[in-house]
């Protein structure tokens, strides 16, 4: 089979959908041996060596370039990619993202979540894409891949897509990078000035509910700090900064727009717990990475999150800062509980494996 892979979503600073696409592609390529595979990507240096042909495209299509890249990526996918596919005589197109091509019938596209539809104000351009263009793509696509049963149900109910057309393949994590680090707390204390801290990881968008973490820290009365990793909407970031000042937490909170990939395991390992209070997630990578590092997780029992953490986390009402504060205090006081969460989380994390999940996607792509 002549297969083309649209990997224009890759970024030199992988996060979210870019992390998913990169790992899925790198695990799929060895499994696709025997097929003629061509990968179109903005970051050819990130693709592991294989028998596939790697074609570099303009880095302007990469998410690194913000909203402009989204428009350019849409134009390239709809008008430039079809010409390349015709020249290649491609029999099928696989997109590890929602950026499919209207002119290709034999294609498999990926929908990680419906956040742009549920929160259109924080993703205006994507909201329009999801509202007007994605339904057409889903109807045209041969198959759809998603990352949780919760998102599968969302796709079915929102777009009227048959469940038989959707394949669920969970995310995995990098076992070579995410594991407990014994010296983490000492190293983080040097860099951020916190010997004792809770951690928030994920782009600072409203649905991530970061303000609840700030309010809970204040109500807890703990001396612990709060490290918030992620960059999102500027207006929301300003709101969080103002809230930090209003709560007199300035000296206890560190906002970090981006943490290097190799540093994340230390951040997880050194934290009292990960606070993941999101109101909606397609999957939720940070809780999985935290569990793999032995970090206790405090999270909400909403959308896909129970699929990820199972019974290996403390569940709270994400809209009740007092409930969250109580969970934070419990983590600090009850060492037996934290050790239990840590051990059970480590075991739970091993159920999620990129190679195994790629093997689930393979038959969806190569089926005639």
């Amino acid at each position: 089979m002549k297969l083309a892979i649209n990997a224009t979503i890759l970024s030199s600073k992988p996060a979210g959908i870019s992390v998913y696409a990169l790992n899925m592609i790198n695990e799929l390529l060895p499994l696709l041996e025997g097929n003629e595979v061509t990968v179109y990507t903005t970051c050819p240096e990130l693709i592991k060596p294989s028998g596939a042909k790697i074609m570099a495209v303009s880095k302007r299509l990469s998410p690194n370039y913000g909203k402009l890249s989204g428009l350019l990526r849409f134009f390239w996918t709809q008008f430039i990619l079809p010409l390349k596919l015709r020249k290649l005589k491609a029999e099928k197109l696989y997109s590890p993202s929602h950026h499919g091509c209207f002119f290709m019938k034999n294609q498999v596209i990926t929908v990680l979540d419906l956040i742009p539809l549920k929160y259109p104000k924080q993703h205006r351009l994507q909201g329009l894409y999801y509202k007007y263009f994605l339904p057409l793509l889903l109807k045209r696509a041969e198959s759809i891949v998603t990352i949780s049963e919760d998102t599968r149900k969302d796709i079915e109910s929102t777009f009227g897509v048959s469940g038989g057309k959707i394949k669920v393949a969970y995310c995995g994590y990098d076992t070579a990078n995410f594991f407990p680090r014994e010296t983490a707390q000492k190293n983080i204390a040097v860099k951020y000035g916190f010997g004792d801290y809770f951690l928030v990881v994920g782009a600072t968008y409203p649905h991530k509910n970061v303000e609840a973490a700030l309010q809970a820290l204040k109500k807890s009365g703990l001396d612990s700090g709060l490290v918030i990793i992620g960059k999102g909407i500027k207006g929301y970031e300003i709101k969080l900064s103002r809230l930090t000042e209003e709560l007199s937490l300035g000296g206890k909170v560190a906002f970090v727009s981006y943490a290097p990939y190799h540093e994340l395991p230390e951040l997880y390992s050194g934290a009292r717990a990960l606070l993941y209070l999101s109101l909606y997630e397609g999957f939720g990578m940070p809780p999985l990475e935290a569990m793999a590092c032995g970090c206790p997780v405090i999270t909400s029992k909403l959308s896909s999150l129970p699929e990820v953490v199972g019974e290996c986390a403390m569940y709270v009402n994400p809209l009740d800062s007092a409930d969250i504060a109580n969970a934070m205090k419990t983590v600090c006081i009850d060492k037996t509980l934290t050790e239990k969460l840590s051990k059970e989380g480590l075991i739970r994390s091993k159920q999620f494996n990129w190679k195994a999940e790629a093997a689930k996607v393979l038959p969806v792509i190569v089926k005639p």
Side-chain angles (χ1 to χ4, degrees):
M1 174 187 290
K2 289 187 176 182
L3 172 70
I5 298 178
N6 176 16
T8 52
I9 195 64
L10 295 190
S11 166
S12 59
K13 291 184 177 180
I17 190 171
S18 184
V19 170
Y20 170 85
L22 177 61
N23 282 282
M24 189 56 69
I25 290 170
N26 279 334
E27 292 297 343
L28 273 171
L29 290 181
L31 301 179
L32 287 165
E33 188 176 348
N35 296 279
E36 291 183 39
V37 182
T38 302
V39 182
Y40 296 97
T41 178
T42 50
C43 300
E45 69 280 3
L46 298 180
I47 305 296
K48 292 180 180 178
S50 68
K53 186 176 182 181
I54 311 300
M55 302 295 290
V57 300
S58 173
K59 290 191 177 296
R60 292 281 178 181
L61 303 181
S62 167
N64 289 358
Y65 291 87
K67 293 180 180 179
L68 175 60
S69 72
L71 293 171
L72 292 174
R73 196 160 50 249
F74 177 81
F75 179 85
W76 185 89
T77 304
Q78 304 311 324
F79 301 104
I80 306 300
L81 180 58
L83 299 178
K84 295 182 180 295
L85 296 178
R86 192 174 297 118
K87 184 177 180 181
L88 187 66
K89 296 182 180 179
E91 297 170 73
K92 190 169 291 187
L93 172 66
Y94 167 59
S95 299
S97 69
H98 50 272
H99 305 99
C101 176
F102 293 113
F103 303 103
M104 188 75 175
K105 185 175 182 180
N106 296 332
Q107 65 177 315
V108 177
I109 67 170
T110 305
V111 180
L112 302 190
D113 56 58
L114 299 188
I115 289 173
L117 278 181
K118 293 179 179 292
Y119 299 91
K121 290 183 179 179
Q122 68 184 43
H123 297 283
R124 295 185 186 279
L125 287 177
Q126 282 200 59
L128 293 173
Y129 178 88
Y130 269 63
K131 184 175 182 180
Y132 297 107
F133 296 106
L134 187 59
L136 300 176
L137 275 174
L138 295 179
K139 184 178 181 180
R140 188 165 181 76
E142 177 184 277
S143 299
I144 302 159
V145 174
T146 191
I147 55 177
S148 68
E149 287 294 336
D150 187 76
T151 304
R152 178 187 63 77
K153 292 174 184 176
D154 273 353
I155 294 171
E156 285 185 46
S157 61
T158 303
F159 300 106
V161 177
S162 168
K165 191 175 180 177
I166 307 171
K167 178 66 178 180
V168 175
Y170 288 124
C171 297
Y173 71 96
D174 185 352
T175 56
N177 191 53
F178 294 99
F179 57 88
R181 308 297 175 94
E182 294 181 2
T183 60
Q185 213 163 22
K186 179 180 178 181
N187 295 342
I188 297 304
V190 170
K191 180 159 187 176
Y192 297 103
F194 294 143
D196 180 11
Y197 65 95
F198 287 86
L199 182 66
V200 172
V201 176
T204 47
Y205 290 114
H207 78 278
K208 295 291 187 180
N209 196 28
V210 180
E211 63 266 37
L214 293 169
Q215 292 162 348
L217 178 62
K218 180 66 175 181
K219 285 187 177 180
S220 73
L222 296 169
D223 290 330
S224 305
L226 184 65
V227 179
I228 301 171
I229 309 293
K231 185 178 176 66
I233 298 175
K234 188 174 181 180
Y236 186 61
E237 290 179 343
I238 293 173
K239 178 182 178 180
L240 293 176
S241 295
R242 287 176 178 169
L243 180 59
T244 301
E245 293 177 7
E246 291 171 8
L247 296 174
S248 302
L249 294 173
K252 300 176 70 175
V253 178
F255 289 94
V256 183
S257 61
Y258 181 80
Y261 186 67
H262 66 275
E263 194 174 284
L264 279 173
E266 288 205 342
L267 283 160
Y268 285 125
S269 297
R272 283 279 191 181
L274 172 74
L275 298 180
Y276 205 71
L277 310 172
S278 184
L279 304 178
Y280 175 82
E281 290 294 330
F283 181 79
M285 284 293 292
L288 174 56
E289 294 170 347
M291 289 191 299
C293 293
C295 175
V297 175
I298 297 173
T299 190
S300 55
K301 206 167 190 174
L302 298 177
S303 61
S304 64
L305 294 172
E307 292 181 58
V308 181
V309 300
E311 298 303 316
C312 304
M314 288 186 70
Y315 287 111
V316 294
N317 179 349
L319 300 177
D320 185 346
S321 56
D323 190 26
I324 301 165
N326 286 333
M328 294 168 71
K329 287 188 284 188
T330 299
V331 163
C332 292
I333 296 169
D334 193 338
K335 290 185 178 180
T336 301
L337 175 63
T338 55
E339 288 177 5
K340 180 176 180 286
L341 291 173
S342 179
K343 289 178 181 178
E344 292 182 350
L346 280 168
I347 295 170
R348 174 80 180 177
S349 67
K350 298 186 187 306
Q351 296 180 23
F352 299 89
N353 179 282
W354 281 118
K355 188 172 183 178
E357 299 307 322
K360 295 178 184 177
V361 176
L362 179 65
V364 178
I365 296 175
V366 298
K367 71 178 181 181

